[in-house]
Amino acid sequence: MADSVRATQLHDEYTDTPEYMALLRGALHLMKQSRIDLLVVGLPVALLHLKKAALEKAMTGTHDVGGGKTVTVVKALAVAQPQGALAHYASVHKKMATIGNEQSLIIDPGSRTFDWLVARGMRQVQKQSHSFNRGMSDVLRLIAAEITKDIGSPYRDLDAIDLALRTGKQPVIFQKSYDITRFMPMAEAVAQQAVSAMKQYIESPHSLQNIILVGGGAFLFKKAVKAAFPNHKIHEVKEPMFANVRGFQLAGQNYARTVMAAPRADQGAMPSGSKQ
C-alpha cells in the first residue's frame, strides 16, 4: 500500500490526480469545519507559476468529504513550498521585523522534489529559485534496487529503508537484520548532485544572510549543504518536515489580515460621516 501511494507522487501532474484530491478531502474532513475562508496549499518552486491558478481553482468550492458532510472553501492560495519554511523560521527565531532586509536561501529536500528558494525579505527571487525531481524517493529506490540485486529477490519496502536512514534501525530481511550502511555513499552522492546543481543558480552566495535547511530529507542533505557553503552557518528548525505547513498558516493569517481584510475596489471608500 505504501509503495502504491508513493508512486502517485513521482510526477509533475500529481496535483491533478484523484489521489491528490482524495488526500485533500480527507484533510478537510479532519479539520471539522463546514466552511474555510482561506486554504493555503504548497507547490514545488518550479511548478508554482505553471500550476498556481489551476490548483487554486480546484481547491475552491464545495467538497464532499464523506458521511453526508461537505466543506466549502471560499478562497485558496497556492505558494511555493519553501516560502512557508521561511515564514516559520522567521517566526520561531523572532526575526519577522528584521528578515525583510535580509537575503535568505531556503533549501527543502522533500520526497519527490529538491526545492530551493532565494528570497529578498519575504519575496522570492525567481531566477535564482527552482526545483527538480531529486528527492528522498530517489535515494530510497536506489537503495532498494541495490538490496534487490544483493538478495536476488525484489525488495520494495521503502518505509523500512527510510526508517533505517533516519534512526539506524536496520530492516529485517529473511529474518535477519540487514546492514544498509554500505549504501550510504550512494545516498550522499544523490544529495551532493542536487546541491551542486542548486549552487549553479545562486548568483551571490556571499550575500546570503540566512541559509535554512528544512524538509523530510534535511537529515540526509545536511552534510552536502554544509560542504557547499563552508563559510555559512546552516540554520535548522525542529521537526523540519512540518516547517512548510506551519509557515503556510502564518502566510494565510497575514494574507487574511492584509489582502482579504482590505476594502474591495468595487465597494469604494466609505464617505466621511457615513454609517456602516
Side-chain angles (χ1 to χ4, degrees):
M1 179 63 180
D3 208 41
S4 64
V5 170
R6 287 180 188 275
T8 65
Q9 302 177 6
L10 299 179
H11 57 83
D12 289 346
E13 307 305 317
Y14 174 56
T15 55
D16 300 329
T17 64
E19 290 89 346
Y20 181 90
M21 192 59 74
L23 290 173
L24 166 81
R25 289 171 176 162
L28 293 178
H29 176 76
L30 292 174
M31 292 178 190
K32 301 186 185 303
Q33 300 290 328
S34 61
R35 172 190 166 106
I36 296 173
D37 292 319
L38 176 64
L39 179 69
V40 183
V41 293
L43 279 167
V45 175
L47 297 179
L48 181 63
H49 293 287
L50 181 65
K51 297 284 188 182
K52 177 179 172 68
L55 182 58
E56 289 177 348
K57 183 178 179 181
M59 297 298 97
T60 55
T62 300
H63 298 270
D64 183 348
V65 297
K69 296 181 179 180
T70 61
V71 176
T72 299
V73 176
V74 179
K75 181 172 179 58
L77 176 65
V79 300
Q81 289 168 346
Q83 210 149 18
L86 176 60
H88 175 61
Y89 167 81
S91 175
V92 168
H93 291 274
K94 313 297 183 187
K95 291 176 65 76
M96 294 299 282
T98 60
I99 205 162
N101 300 315
E102 298 176 357
Q103 187 157 312
S104 305
L105 168 64
I106 306 92
I107 304 171
D108 178 16
S111 175
R112 183 178 71 85
T113 57
F114 177 82
D115 284 66
W116 70 91
L117 186 144
V118 173
R120 293 193 181 99
M122 298 299 291
R123 292 185 175 274
Q124 175 183 340
V125 181
Q126 188 171 339
K127 64 179 180 178
Q128 295 188 59
S129 307
H130 198 52
S131 61
F132 53 87
N133 298 344
R134 202 66 174 161
M136 278 298 296
S137 61
D138 293 280
V139 174
L140 302 181
R141 290 175 185 278
L142 187 65
I143 293 176
E146 290 300 311
I147 295 174
T148 294
K149 285 193 287 187
D150 184 40
I151 67 176
S153 178
Y155 186 81
R156 301 189 183 92
D157 193 347
L158 304 185
D159 289 330
I161 298 172
D162 187 70
L163 182 65
L165 293 175
R166 293 176 189 279
T167 67
K169 183 180 179 181
Q170 302 298 346
V172 175
I173 303 176
F174 293 135
Q175 300 178 322
K176 294 180 180 178
S177 179
Y178 187 93
D179 184 9
I180 68 167
T181 56
R182 73 185 93 169
F183 303 128
M184 283 305 296
M186 297 171 58
E188 291 171 353
V190 172
Q192 290 165 2
Q193 292 165 10
V195 173
S196 295
M198 175 192 68
K199 279 198 73 177
Q200 297 177 28
Y201 285 77
I202 311 300
E203 295 178 354
S204 303
H206 58 273
S207 299
L208 296 170
Q209 290 158 279
N210 306 296
I211 297 181
I212 306 155
L213 179 61
V214 299
F219 76 98
L220 184 63
F221 283 71
K222 183 193 303 186
K223 181 178 177 181
V225 171
K226 285 188 174 181
F229 300 97
N231 297 315
H232 289 80
K233 179 180 180 181
I234 310 302
H235 300 285
E236 298 178 75
V237 297
K238 292 181 180 179
E239 298 182 307
M241 191 178 295
F242 303 110
N244 288 344
V245 72
R246 287 172 178 159
F248 291 169
Q249 180 179 356
L250 295 170
Q253 290 170 338
N254 181 61
Y255 189 88
R257 266 195 317 268
T258 56
V259 179
M260 294 177 70
R264 292 188 315 198
D266 59 357
Q267 291 177 328
M270 186 75 69
S272 178
S274 297
K275 293 182 179 179
Q276 295 189 22

